[in-house]
Amino acid sequence: MTVRPVHPRDGRAVLFPVAGHPDRFRLWMLLQLLDPSVFGDHGDMIENRHRLNQLVIRRSKADACRPDGSTLFARRKVHTEARTMAEAESRFYDALRLYLNDGFNLAKNQGKQGNALGFLMTIFQKIAASSFAAVRRTLERRIINLTVYEALLCDRNSDAAGREELLAEARSLLHRTRAIDTDILGKTEVEGILSELRFKIAKALSASDASASLKRLEEGSGLSDAGGGNGEEAAEEAVRVALPEERKRIRTLLDQFPEEDETKVRTLVDALRTIWAQDAAEKVVIFATYIGTVDLIERQIKLQFPDKGVVVLKGGSHENKQTAEKRFRHPTGPRVIVCTAAGREGINLQHSRILFNFDLPWNPMDIEQRIGRIHRYGQQFTAQVYNLVLSDTIEGKIFGLLNAKLLEIARAIGKVDDEGNVAEDLQVQILGQLSEHLKYDELYRDALDDPQLVRTEQELTEALRNAREANNVVFELFQNIDRFNIADFQQFENVLPSLERIVRFLGDHAEVAGDRLVPAGHQRYDLVKSTGEMLARFTLDRDEANRSEDLTLLGLDHPLVDRALDASRKLDAASLGVVVPGPDGPGVLTWWHIDTTGARGERRNCVVVLGISPDGQRKPALEHVGVKVLDRPGRSQSALNPDERANLLKQGILPMLERELRHRDIVRNGVTFECELIAWVEVSA
């Protein structure tokens, strides 16, 4: 038996977003919090999934409402801005498709050995779908890396002349592609870059590095756009994987690169000009997958709208995200934020109502995650989303085909909105299921040599049919919204008492640390150091937190609460405890978290409360008081010294706990358990 002290978390409701195939174990664990008697383990949940409708109501954002019945979320409008490529773009795109087809065909002929090449081509195909600027950036850096790689091979073969010729070519490429001057300072800079490249690429010559390179390519070519910049780096650095005469092929491709502004860039600039002509203070969110595309957008906005400002979110820590969000949110801050996949989670941008998807990830659920940054609680206006699409590219054609198929389904079942578009809830539900029935990488790759999309349409039709059937099954498992009674929800409307308990906990923790938690108005609090320095300001009012820039919303997921909980968990059992006056003489009230594992691996969790007198006798009356004892005012000195506390725990409480677990049949033959002491309250006379 293991005893570990932690601090309890308290809550009365669990919200679980289910889009498509949920994480079954996580869902089961959440259901255990609501009613641990419904399912024995997550396997039982799958076998007897009809019981889910006892606990789960499936609702979309369109259905969600406040306790008074009013709409909780603003609506959203999604617009597709479709354009065709300019003539020069079309020529470059055709040449790039030929390059990709050659790579995929060679990869197929090489069997397992061709996996790395296939991943590499997939990355290039995705980058090309983002912007031509991004693919040019990656090709330029790749040809430099390949040149240095071949120079190192010459060095290994004692070919000094070949090495110097290739290094000279690499220097020339660096000067040209990175716009570095050829003066003494520029040459010094190029030599520094070249030295770093030689060191990095030398590692790629070792056989032990091959598996790492393959893994990096595989991760960079994954379905989600989360790889972003990592995919670009993987394509640049995978020098061990190459087509025959690839440097020559890349030079030919780059010679055909269109020099005029990209069609999607012109579309975006025109749209921004129209938006700011109507409201110069409008805030705009732009999503793009790859760093090369993000740099392109940032450069163009600074060039075309120098007075608007732009902040870029490429990745980094949560603190970096919050800093970028705060700059963008400030009324006088930048009017534009450009995000890679790093901005798809962890930031709230609902103070903006306009979002552009400059490129479209292959998995359409990634687009839904992007939209969720502005279409969320606190959005006051209809969220306007604009998808920029080149309709004559493979990606544009498949995007159009998917939307057409979704519209067919929506019309067939009467799920279209007032403007004749697919209803928002159906869109999300079907796309969520579609990921389980479609391999997007294969769909887009195979479409390269299927220009009429005949096979692609067949595969997409079948996948959508399966997704719709799966979605119907999900609705059968969960309660219909019609059975939801708003009156049942209204009884949980007032969550203020629970929030005030968090405030008290945070205040006690601050006091121990030498700080103070000071009321600063209605449901407002300041955390202040003993020196008077302000550490944080927060509120319990969600709407006020959304309106005010210098206020954060306090809850269990607030960083201050997380840190306080983490510090509490690190306390040993002897350090836990609080002393309060009691209703029925002295005693000790303890709370235990019990985690059991059955013979088949099934796990269950529960909390057990034990009351005990100082002489080791059970005190049921104290257990009936429970957490209400914490509401009693005042504190007094503990009547037990550390040795007496440790002895009472070891000789009295732990044996009593084990007997209680067996009496309740929580622990029986074949069941092992761990217990965690989560609270210790001494009750004085």
Side-chain angles (χ1 to χ4, degrees):
M1 182 172 66
T2 303
V3 178
R4 296 175 307 207
V6 298
H7 194 91
R9 290 177 177 249
D10 176 63
R12 294 187 297 175
V14 176
L15 304 178
F16 186 78
V18 180
H21 180 63
D23 182 322
R24 292 166 177 166
F25 185 76
R26 285 180 60 215
L27 177 58
W28 173 71
M29 289 293 288
L30 286 169
L31 296 178
Q32 288 291 98
L33 296 174
L34 298 175
D35 189 343
S37 66
V38 176
F39 300 112
D41 55 27
H42 67 284
D44 183 27
M45 182 185 72
I46 301 305
E47 293 176 8
N48 299 285
R49 51 185 177 269
H50 58 278
R51 299 181 198 154
L52 280 170
N53 60 21
Q54 300 176 35
L55 300 174
V56 182
I57 297 173
R58 183 181 174 112
R59 313 185 76 196
S60 67
K61 282 185 177 179
D63 297 321
C65 61
R66 294 183 175 87
D68 62 4
S70 62
T71 302
L72 186 62
F73 293 96
R75 298 277 70 85
R76 76 179 197 186
K77 298 289 185 184
V78 180
H79 315 270
T80 297
E81 299 296 322
R83 301 290 187 272
T84 57
M85 291 182 285
E87 185 178 348
E89 289 176 326
S90 185
R91 285 197 302 269
F92 177 75
Y93 183 74
D94 288 342
L96 184 61
R97 279 186 60 184
L98 181 61
Y99 168 79
L100 295 173
N101 265 327
D102 287 347
F104 280 126
N105 290 334
L106 182 59
K108 290 177 185 177
N109 294 333
Q110 292 178 344
K112 289 185 178 180
Q113 299 297 321
N115 285 347
L117 183 58
F119 291 142
L120 177 63
M121 294 297 107
T122 299
I123 293 172
F124 270 119
Q125 188 180 1
K126 287 185 175 182
I127 296 173
S130 179
S131 73
F132 296 123
V135 79
R136 177 173 67 173
R137 178 182 184 271
T138 306
L139 286 170
E140 287 176 342
R141 297 190 177 207
R142 178 164 172 79
I143 194 174
I144 292 170
N145 286 357
L146 287 171
T147 304
V148 174
Y149 177 68
E150 291 185 20
L152 291 175
L153 289 179
C154 287
D155 197 35
R156 283 196 167 191
N157 296 327
S158 302
D159 181 3
R163 177 197 64 199
E164 292 305 318
E165 181 181 347
L166 287 164
L167 289 177
E169 183 178 341
R171 292 186 185 96
S172 176
L173 286 168
L174 282 168
H175 278 292
R176 185 170 71 253
T177 61
R178 302 198 184 186
I180 300 175
D181 291 335
T182 55
D183 58 12
I184 186 65
L185 291 178
K187 289 179 179 179
T188 301
E189 182 181 354
V190 164
E191 287 303 320
I193 297 172
L194 191 59
S195 177
E196 291 180 8
L197 286 176
R198 292 175 71 177
F199 175 77
K200 183 186 294 186
I201 294 171
K203 293 174 62 177
L205 285 169
S206 63
S208 61
D209 198 51
S211 59
S213 178
L214 177 61
K215 182 179 179 181
R216 187 164 167 78
L217 279 169
E218 185 175 5
E219 290 173 348
S221 66
L223 282 183
S224 171
D225 67 352
N230 294 333
E232 288 169 292
E233 291 176 6
E236 295 162 9
E237 297 172 4
V239 291
R240 294 171 61 101
V241 182
L243 286 167
E245 298 186 313
E246 184 167 355
R247 289 198 302 124
K248 180 179 178 181
R249 288 170 177 260
I250 292 177
R251 281 196 298 270
T252 302
L253 266 176
L254 292 176
D255 287 343
Q256 299 179 65
F257 187 82
E259 294 302 328
E260 64 268 21
D261 288 342
E262 295 188 26
T263 299
K264 286 199 296 184
V265 170
R266 293 198 302 272
T267 303
L268 175 65
V269 168
D270 290 345
L272 291 176
R273 187 171 287 113
T274 301
I275 289 168
W276 286 324
Q278 297 173 1
D279 183 355
E282 191 78 65
K283 299 276 189 174
V284 178
V285 179
I286 303 174
F287 268 96
T289 305
Y290 293 98
I291 302 300
T293 305
V294 170
D295 290 344
L296 168 70
I297 296 170
E298 180 186 19
R299 188 167 59 249
Q300 286 295 320
I301 290 175
K302 288 180 176 179
L303 177 66
Q304 301 289 339
F305 309 102
D307 60 323
K308 296 302 181 184
V310 56
V311 60
V312 174
L313 202 165
K314 296 181 181 179
S317 65
H318 182 65
E319 287 73 20
N320 289 341
K321 291 183 180 182
Q322 286 186 318
T323 300
E325 176 190 341
K326 190 173 182 179
R327 281 190 60 204
F328 178 59
R329 182 174 182 174
H330 195 279
T332 61
R335 296 291 182 264
V336 179
I337 185 169
V338 185
C339 306
T340 62
R344 225 175 53 208
E345 296 177 342
I347 61 171
N348 301 320
L349 302 174
Q350 64 267 37
H351 48 280
S352 170
R353 66 186 181 95
I354 297 177
L355 181 147
F356 284 89
N357 284 310
F358 190 88
D359 58 21
L360 302 177
W362 285 2
N363 187 338
M365 279 307 293
D366 289 345
I367 301 176
E368 293 298 324
Q369 282 189 290
R370 292 177 174 185
I371 295 173
R373 295 308 92 207
I374 68 168
H375 185 222
R376 57 193 304 107
Y377 181 85
Q379 177 60 260
Q380 300 297 311
F381 307 97
T382 298
Q384 301 288 345
V385 180
Y386 298 91
N387 296 322
L388 304 186
V389 180
L390 292 176
S391 58
D392 45 352
T393 63
I394 291 295
E395 288 72 22
K397 291 176 182 178
I398 293 179
F399 179 79
L401 187 58
L402 175 59
N403 280 349
K405 296 291 181 182
L406 283 171
L407 189 56
E408 285 181 19
I409 294 174
R411 286 172 174 166
I413 61 176
K415 293 287 286 185
V416 293
D417 60 22
D418 295 338
E419 298 179 3
N421 298 316
V422 181
E424 173 192 328
D425 56 345
L426 180 70
Q427 173 111 354
V428 174
Q429 291 153 11
I430 296 295
L431 292 180
Q433 295 291 344
L434 189 60
S435 299
E436 295 296 313
H437 302 278
L438 195 63
K439 295 181 179 179
Y440 291 104
D441 272 19
E442 293 181 7
L443 181 77
Y444 281 87
R445 181 194 65 205
D446 294 345
L448 282 172
D449 56 5
D450 179 22
Q452 302 305 316
L453 299 186
V454 176
R455 295 192 308 272
T456 304
E457 183 174 5
Q458 293 172 348
E459 185 174 351
L460 197 55
T461 300
E462 180 65 16
L464 280 167
R465 184 184 66 80
N466 291 333
R468 180 182 172 186
E469 290 177 357
N471 189 62
N472 292 340
V473 170
V474 168
F475 267 89
E476 291 172 4
L477 296 180
F478 299 151
Q479 289 186 44
N480 192 305
I481 189 63
D482 294 338
R483 293 169 57 187
F484 179 73
N485 186 353
I486 190 68
D488 296 335
F489 180 41
Q490 286 171 331
Q491 62 180 309
F492 297 108
E493 180 179 2
N494 184 19
V495 297
L496 190 58
S498 295
L499 291 173
E500 289 173 344
R501 290 181 62 188
I502 297 176
V503 171
R504 292 201 301 273
F505 165 66
L506 194 58
D508 290 342
H509 177 78
E511 186 178 332
V512 171
D515 303 326
R516 291 179 300 121
L517 195 64
V518 182
H522 177 63
Q523 296 187 19
R524 285 192 180 197
Y525 297 88
D526 292 340
L527 184 62
V528 183
K529 290 183 70 69
S530 56
T531 59
E533 178 189 353
M534 174 81 71
L535 292 175
R537 170 168 288 176
F538 54 83
T539 178
L540 307 183
D541 188 317
R542 182 182 293 271
D543 292 326
E544 190 175 7
N546 281 329
R547 289 192 299 267
S548 178
E549 184 185 348
D550 64 343
L551 281 175
T552 59
L553 180 67
L554 185 69
L556 280 175
D557 58 348
H558 193 284
L560 288 173
V561 179
D562 273 342
R563 284 197 289 270
L565 288 170
D566 187 54
S568 299
R569 291 189 188 99
K570 293 177 181 176
L571 293 172
D572 58 39
S575 301
L576 279 177
V578 65
V579 182
V580 300
D584 187 29
V588 173
L589 190 59
T590 61
W591 282 263
W592 298 85
H593 173 246
I594 310 299
D595 183 355
T596 67
T597 303
R600 295 184 302 167
E602 65 275 16
R603 298 183 62 182
R604 301 193 69 173
N605 294 265
C606 63
V607 173
V608 173
V609 184
L610 287 181
I612 189 170
S613 65
D615 61 357
Q617 300 299 311
R618 183 80 173 267
K619 293 198 70 170
L622 193 56
E623 295 170 8
H624 292 319
V625 176
V627 295
K628 293 179 181 177
V629 76
L630 297 175
D631 295 328
R632 295 177 175 273
R635 297 287 186 272
S636 60
Q637 186 66 34
S638 172
L640 302 173
N641 62 44
D643 289 339
E644 289 172 329
R645 292 182 70 189
N647 186 64
L648 184 61
L649 177 67
K650 182 177 180 181
Q651 303 297 330
I653 298 176
L654 287 177
M656 185 183 297
L657 175 64
E658 191 158 357
R659 289 195 300 271
E660 179 70 9
L661 295 178
R662 297 194 182 281
H663 174 71
R664 294 194 196 179
D665 204 29
I666 295 173
V667 174
R668 51 189 181 276
N669 291 338
V671 175
T672 60
F673 74 97
E674 289 186 350
C675 58
E676 299 173 314
L677 177 60
I678 55 179
W680 172 293
V681 177
E682 291 182 30
V683 180
S684 62

